[in-house]
Amino acid sequence: MTTRFGTWLRGLAATLPLLLLGATAQAQTLDAVLKRGKVLVGVNTASPPFGTTNAEMMPDGYDVEIAKMLAKDLGVQLEIVPVTNENRIPTLLTGKADVIASTLQITPERAKSVLFTAPYGMHESMVIGPPELKVSQLADLAGKRVGVSRGSAYANLIAQANIPGLQLVQFADDSANLTALVAGQVDAAGTVSYLASELNKRYPDKKFERKVTLTSNVYAMGVRRGDFDFQRWVDTFLFVNILNGSIPKAYEKWMGGAWKPLPAF
């Protein structure tokens, strides 16, 4: 009995440092941010209205405003780390950013790489095109050139449809993708609701139409896997600022539409 108890104690002594190490790793980012006095937030600054550059050549937009709120509540300075749809997750995983706020749609595939926070917005993804393009379903895009922003969720949805003859033309970001559509370099473009609306405001004569609705996208921030302390802090930040109206107000300012309750996550 004594021998068994002694063996159990030795096992506990060997395991305890590993448990403490795991707990330390989970708290590492939050502690590091507070000690550093600065939080590094990855934002796609070429994806208005989420991320853009204002007249003073400073980062601006919905995600930037959320990042400013986050830094203020943390009590630290903010550094915006510019990312693209393609490199936002690698930027997080390599430690160049502490958290990603870049329209990161919640998907099971992405959850293999990042730990999602609670959501802070929602939009629809779609395929748009000019009035003369006769398309009502994805299969009608056979033989067409369809522009997408590389690494976007809608790009994956279109690719997974395996439409024969569809040419998926990938661009570095949303701006380049929609510019190509305006210039007639592609027949149609994958995009999201707020960008489609903004495009028609800028080019009303083009009269771009929604051809196919792909899905409703709920987006969240992302932290590194296992970083549960920081995830919990960000969840608390989002909860409080949605409840007090700060995030809904910012959403309506940048998106031009009414804030809607988000699905529980």
Side-chain angles (χ1 to χ4, degrees):
M1 191 73 176
T2 303
T3 302
R4 289 181 180 177
F5 184 69
T7 302
W8 178 82
L9 280 178
R10 287 192 295 272
L12 178 62
T15 304
L16 189 57
L18 297 176
L19 294 174
L20 293 174
L21 180 61
T24 301
Q26 290 172 9
Q28 185 175 8
T29 299
L30 181 57
D31 290 343
V33 166
L34 295 174
K35 183 177 181 180
R36 186 197 305 143
K38 180 191 293 184
V39 62
L40 311 177
V41 183
V43 176
N44 186 343
T45 52
S47 181
F50 284 91
T52 185
T53 303
N54 61 25
E56 288 74 39
M57 301 305 294
M58 298 296 292
D60 210 351
Y62 180 57
D63 281 338
V64 174
E65 192 160 336
I66 298 299
K68 288 177 180 178
M69 293 183 200
L70 182 144
K72 180 181 178 182
D73 281 5
L74 272 171
V76 300
Q77 295 180 348
L78 169 66
E79 180 176 330
I80 296 294
V81 180
V83 298
T84 64
N85 286 344
E86 188 176 24
N87 74 8
R88 54 192 166 179
I89 291 178
T91 297
L92 174 69
L93 299 184
T94 55
K96 296 176 183 176
D98 301 313
V99 56
I100 296 297
S102 185
T103 59
L104 195 63
Q105 181 187 352
I106 299 171
T107 69
E109 183 61 30
R110 284 178 177 162
K112 297 176 184 177
S113 303
V114 303
L115 186 61
F116 286 107
T117 68
Y120 67 103
M122 181 169 58
H123 57 253
E124 290 182 313
S125 61
M126 63 189 69
V127 175
I128 64 172
E132 61 270 21
L133 181 67
K134 304 305 178 185
V135 169
S136 60
Q137 57 184 344
L138 279 176
D140 295 335
L141 292 169
K144 306 298 183 186
R145 298 165 301 165
V146 181
V148 295
S149 174
R150 188 180 297 114
S152 62
Y154 62 77
N156 294 332
L157 288 171
I158 296 170
Q160 289 166 9
N162 294 315
I163 306 300
L166 183 152
Q167 182 183 350
L168 203 63
V169 184
Q170 302 197 45
F171 295 93
D173 53 44
D174 292 304
S175 178
N177 177 33
L178 295 179
T179 298
L181 177 64
V182 172
Q185 297 171 356
V186 293
D187 302 306
T191 189
V192 288
S193 50
Y194 59 87
L195 289 178
S197 176
E198 185 66 27
L199 189 68
N200 276 326
K201 289 178 184 177
R202 293 186 181 185
Y203 303 96
D205 57 310
K206 296 289 185 179
K207 299 180 181 178
F208 292 118
E209 302 171 342
R210 180 189 302 217
K211 302 297 181 179
V212 181
T213 298
L214 298 171
T215 186
S216 293
N217 304 325
V218 178
Y219 49 89
M221 295 186 188
V223 301
R224 284 179 284 277
R225 283 178 50 189
D227 208 349
F228 298 112
D229 265 16
F230 197 35
Q231 179 207 36
R232 188 59 178 168
W233 186 91
V234 177
D235 283 347
T236 302
F237 155 77
L238 292 171
F239 173 80
V240 169
N241 284 278
I242 288 173
L243 196 63
N244 69 23
S246 297
I247 289 178
K249 183 178 178 180
Y251 180 91
E252 292 174 0
K253 168 187 171 182
W254 288 102
M255 301 299 144
W259 170 268
K260 298 178 181 178
L262 297 170
F265 177 66

